[in-house]
Amino acid sequence: MLDELPPEPRILEAGVGTGAMVARLVEWGVAGTYRGVDRSREVLARARDGRAAELDADPVEGGFDLDALDVRFERGDALSAFDGERADLLVASSFLDLVPITDALDAFEAALRPGGLVYAPFTFDGATVFQPDHPADAAVEAAYHDHIDGQPGRDARAGRHLLDHLRERGGDLLSIASSDWVVRPRDGSYPAREAAFLAAILEFVADAVERGSTGNASKSGDLDRPDADDWLRKRRRQLETGELSYVAHQYDFLYRTPEP
């Protein structure tokens, strides 16, 4: 990606999150302008203030200025905020399983110059693993993924489907690689914020399991209430005792939009 960027590129990001991409751009020595959009006002404030402190910069309304990179954060819908920008790079990290893929790619191409780049790391692709093993793992995973697919625009297998969509478009898929999350304890504890992360993931799964635990075999498999309750109880206990590991299967994509 860095080799494909021009000097002082114009960079957009769909879904700012914690602002981690800004820190990476600075680490990689990228100079230019960055504009990130997210729907959450709270997330944007955390990203702005947290990254400014990390990078020893003074936060200003909407972002902060660095010597090499001009950073701006804005609240809005990433599928409509960037139209006509003619940017060099659009970043969509952990994003394309949350929105209709075709709509997103159309919006991204409208935001980029001809031959601009789409960098889509951490695109989820339908494998969720918790360890140690539990007899209800397969049914819980199915319930979780069914719940994702049941929400408008979401896709639990976005990674493989994105590969199909990009092949059908007129640009070039420059690179694709596996990019799994692997979260594990060390010596019975979690060294950084992994415990909070795993707790959040378990709440997402718990919501899906509650909706899928109907007491009858269904699309999600033979997941009944006692199995679901036992699974959640044991997973939460494993998190408390520093035994729980988690893997999410994902892909990184680098795509170049069509050139004239």
Side-chain angles (χ1 to χ4, degrees):
M1 184 193 73
L2 295 176
D3 289 342
E4 293 289 330
L5 286 178
E8 299 188 359
R10 295 181 63 191
I11 300 168
L12 308 173
E13 183 167 17
V16 167
T18 62
M21 186 52 59
V22 170
R24 290 190 174 93
L25 292 169
V26 171
E27 179 185 347
W28 296 337
V30 176
T33 62
Y34 165 97
R35 179 185 170 211
V37 168
D38 201 289
R39 285 183 171 177
S40 170
R41 195 184 309 276
E42 180 183 13
V43 163
L44 289 169
R46 286 175 177 267
R48 182 190 66 237
D49 297 341
R51 294 304 167 182
E54 176 184 329
L55 298 169
D56 194 24
D58 293 326
V60 296
E61 184 177 358
F64 50 90
D65 293 316
L66 302 168
D67 290 340
L69 191 66
D70 179 35
V71 176
R72 292 290 178 270
F73 295 131
E74 297 176 14
R75 184 167 179 258
D77 184 342
L79 298 189
S80 60
F82 296 139
D83 189 35
E85 283 277 349
R86 296 185 64 82
D88 300 297
L89 170 67
L90 193 147
V91 179
S93 179
S94 300
F95 184 80
L96 287 171
D97 63 313
L98 306 176
V99 296
I101 293 176
T102 299
D103 292 352
L105 293 177
D106 288 344
F108 294 171
E109 289 193 8
L112 292 164
R113 63 170 173 78
L117 301 173
V118 176
Y119 176 45
F122 310 124
T123 300
F124 183 58
D125 190 57
T128 303
V129 178
F130 292 93
Q131 289 298 126
D133 288 335
H134 186 282
D137 281 340
V140 168
E141 181 184 23
Y144 179 43
H145 295 167
D146 288 350
H147 179 60
I148 292 172
D149 287 335
Q151 299 178 62
R154 296 208 57 189
D155 185 354
R157 293 165 180 80
R160 69 194 69 180
H161 295 153
L162 179 58
L163 183 62
D164 294 336
H165 282 286
L166 293 179
R167 186 170 56 246
E168 294 169 357
R169 300 179 86 91
D172 296 314
L173 180 58
L174 301 178
S175 185
I176 176 175
S178 177
S179 184
D180 293 352
W181 281 340
V182 181
V183 182
R184 62 185 179 87
R186 275 81 157 178
D187 299 322
S189 65
Y190 300 94
R193 298 192 63 193
E194 293 96 334
F197 172 80
L198 286 176
I201 293 294
L202 280 179
E203 288 308 307
F204 295 150
V205 177
D207 182 51
V209 166
E210 290 297 321
R211 294 169 185 266
S213 299
T214 61
N216 299 305
S218 66
K219 181 181 176 184
S220 299
D222 297 322
L223 180 61
D224 59 25
R225 178 67 62 179
D227 287 343
D229 290 345
D230 185 68
W231 189 94
L232 285 169
R233 183 172 58 253
K234 288 183 177 178
R235 292 309 185 199
R236 287 166 173 157
R237 178 60 179 163
Q238 288 162 355
L239 176 58
E240 291 174 2
T241 57
E243 299 174 78
L244 185 64
S245 297
Y246 165 79
V247 178
H249 180 51
Q250 302 169 124
Y251 290 113
D252 289 356
F253 291 87
L254 182 64
Y255 171 74
R256 181 165 54 213
T257 58
E259 300 185 69

